[in-house]
Amino acid sequence: MRKEQKEAKYALFYDYLERAGKLFEQSPSGKELAEELAARETTYDLDFSLGANDAGYCIKYEGKPTVNQCPSLVKIDTFAAFFENIVHESVHATVIGDYVNVNNKPLDECHRRELDEANAVARTIQVGYELHVLGIDSSLWEFMNGKESGKGAYAYGFPYPDATKAYKQALKKDSQAWQKPDAIQAAFMARLTTEREKTGHSLYYDVKTLKYIDELGQECLKDKKASNSSYIEKKYGKLFTKPETLEKKDIEHFGEWLGENYLHDKNGSIEYLLTDEAKRAGLSYYAKKQLQKTELTLAKTKHQLKIKEQASKAEIITKKKIAKSR
C-alpha cells in the first residue's frame, strides 16, 4: 500500500475511533469499559498484515494492551462493523493476560479462551442495546441484528446471530432484562454453546488452540535445553510438567459487569461453568477429534521429555563420577 493510501486509511481510522469512543462511553457498560481501558493505558492501531477477511485482535505490548484493527474494516461504509470490533477487542483488553505460555490442560485452555470470547461477544451486544434503547445510536444494534456493513470483512453482518437472538429472547421475557444479568448472560451462554458448535468458530478457536498445543509439544521436544522442568515451565508453561485445571479465580473476572458478576447463577455461584460437561459443551465434531489427538500427543510429549530429563540427570552423574576419579 502506498504512503498516501496509508495516511488516508489512518485518517479515517482515527475519525472512526474517536466516533466509536464518544458513542460507547454514553452507555453504562461502555462507560465502565472506557474507564478500565484508560486505567490500563490501552492503545489502538492498524495492522496492515491482516487480510481482507480478518477483523482485529488484542495483545500485550510492553505490558500494556494494544488493540490492532484490520484495515478492511476502515472504509467509508464500514463504521458499524468497525464499531463492533473495536468494542469486542476492547473487552479483551480489559481482561487480557500473558498468553505466551500455556499452563492449562488442553480442554481447559480451550474453555478459558472460549469464556474470553463469550464475554467479549456478550458485552458488545450489551453496549449495542444500551445505546439503542437509550436513544443514543442504533448503528451497532442494527448491525448485530443482520444489517450489513460495507464490503470485505464482516460484509455478511454480525458473526454471532445466535447470541443476539438469545439476548432478544431474554428481553421478550422481561423488557428490563438488559438492566439485569439475564440478557447479557443469555448472550454469553449462546456464544459458549450454539455459536461454538459452528464449524467456522470451532476451527478458528478450539481446533486452532489444540493444534497450537501440538506444535508447542514438537517445539519443546526439539529444544536441546528442555531437559528440566523449571526450564520447560519458564519457556513453555506448565502444560508439559503439571498442567493446571481451571478454577473459579481463573474465570470470575470475565463476568465483572456494573458492580456485579453476571456469570453467577441464582445461588451466586459460577461452579456450573467449571464442570466437565460445561467445558465440552459446544465442541464441534472437528474439535472433539482434535482434542483426542492433542491429548494423545501431549501424553507422548510428556513421556519423551521425562526420558530426556532422566538421560540428562544420568549424564550429569556420570560426568561427576569421572571428575572425581581423576
Side-chain angles (χ1 to χ4, degrees):
M1 185 179 288
R2 295 197 305 270
K3 180 181 178 181
E4 295 79 7
Q5 291 176 310
K6 278 192 174 183
E7 289 177 347
K9 185 70 74 173
Y10 265 113
L12 186 56
F13 168 69
Y14 288 124
D15 178 61
Y16 272 7
L17 191 61
E18 182 180 7
R19 181 178 166 189
K22 287 180 178 178
L23 282 176
F24 78 69
E25 285 180 12
Q26 295 180 65
S27 76
S29 294
K31 182 180 179 182
E32 180 188 52
L33 179 61
E35 290 172 350
E36 182 64 25
L37 293 168
R40 289 173 175 249
E41 300 181 66
T42 307
T43 58
Y44 295 82
D45 201 356
L46 286 174
D47 184 346
F48 288 90
S49 70
L50 294 175
N53 294 317
D54 294 321
Y57 61 92
C58 180
I59 60 170
K60 261 190 175 180
Y61 180 70
E62 295 183 347
K64 299 174 183 177
T66 297
V67 171
N68 292 283
Q69 285 291 95
C70 180
S72 66
L73 286 178
V74 186
K75 296 177 182 177
I76 296 299
D77 57 351
T78 58
F79 176 72
F82 174 89
F83 190 15
E84 185 276 331
N85 196 251
I86 277 290
V87 178
H88 180 105
E89 297 301 333
S90 292
V91 174
H92 284 314
T94 65
V95 297
I96 191 169
D98 185 359
Y99 296 150
V100 175
N101 294 330
V102 177
N103 294 311
N104 302 302
K105 297 175 182 177
L107 181 59
D108 287 61
E109 181 68 10
C110 285
H111 191 52
R112 182 188 64 79
R113 295 191 182 201
E114 288 287 2
L115 289 166
D116 191 4
E117 280 303 312
N119 179 53
V121 170
R123 290 181 68 180
T124 301
I125 293 173
Q126 179 69 28
V127 169
Y129 186 72
E130 287 176 0
L131 290 172
H132 168 70
V133 75
L134 294 174
I136 298 168
D137 183 87
S138 293
S139 60
L140 181 55
W141 181 245
E142 290 173 355
F143 173 68
M144 293 187 293
N145 278 278
K147 186 175 181 180
E148 295 183 357
S149 179
K151 298 176 181 179
Y154 285 22
Y156 48 81
F158 188 53
Y160 309 108
D162 287 353
T164 307
K165 182 179 178 181
Y167 189 94
K168 289 192 292 185
Q169 287 176 336
L171 289 173
K172 282 185 178 180
K173 294 179 181 178
D174 179 2
S175 62
Q176 301 304 309
W178 65 279
Q179 295 176 300
K180 308 171 185 178
D182 302 30
I184 189 172
Q185 189 182 73
F188 177 92
M189 292 307 299
R191 173 62 186 87
L192 196 61
T193 53
T194 57
E195 293 286 6
R196 188 182 183 186
E197 292 173 357
K198 296 177 181 177
T199 301
H201 298 323
S202 175
L203 293 177
Y204 189 79
Y205 292 102
D206 290 323
V207 176
K208 187 177 181 180
T209 298
L210 292 167
K211 285 185 175 180
Y212 170 69
I213 291 174
D214 282 356
E215 293 169 2
L216 207 60
Q218 294 172 17
E219 181 184 328
C220 189
L221 284 175
K222 293 177 183 177
D223 191 336
K224 294 180 180 179
K225 294 181 181 180
S227 57
N228 65 79
S229 57
S230 59
Y231 173 83
I232 292 171
E233 287 185 10
K234 184 177 180 180
K235 186 171 182 180
Y236 302 98
K238 297 179 180 179
L239 180 66
F240 306 116
T241 54
K242 294 181 180 179
E244 300 173 350
T245 299
L246 281 184
E247 297 177 359
K248 181 181 177 182
K249 62 179 176 59
D250 300 312
I251 67 171
E252 58 186 357
H253 63 287
F254 288 126
E256 293 175 2
W257 171 72
L258 297 181
E260 61 181 312
N261 194 308
Y262 74 81
L263 298 184
H264 287 169
D265 60 17
K266 292 181 180 179
N267 298 316
S269 171
I270 58 173
E271 294 299 324
Y272 70 99
L273 289 172
L274 292 170
T275 64
D276 186 68
E277 183 181 2
K279 293 174 185 177
R280 295 179 184 277
L283 279 176
S284 70
Y285 167 80
Y286 302 100
K288 288 175 181 176
K289 295 290 286 185
Q290 183 60 47
L291 178 62
Q292 290 178 341
K293 178 186 174 185
T294 300
E295 288 180 334
L296 179 60
T297 300
L298 180 59
K300 290 179 178 178
T301 301
K302 290 172 70 176
H303 178 67
Q304 291 297 318
L305 287 172
K306 189 173 182 179
I307 293 174
K308 192 175 181 181
E309 184 176 10
Q310 289 173 341
S312 178
K313 288 179 178 179
E315 184 180 357
I316 292 171
I317 292 171
T318 301
K319 286 180 178 179
K320 286 182 177 178
K321 286 182 177 179
I322 293 173
K324 285 182 179 180
S325 63
R326 288 179 179 175

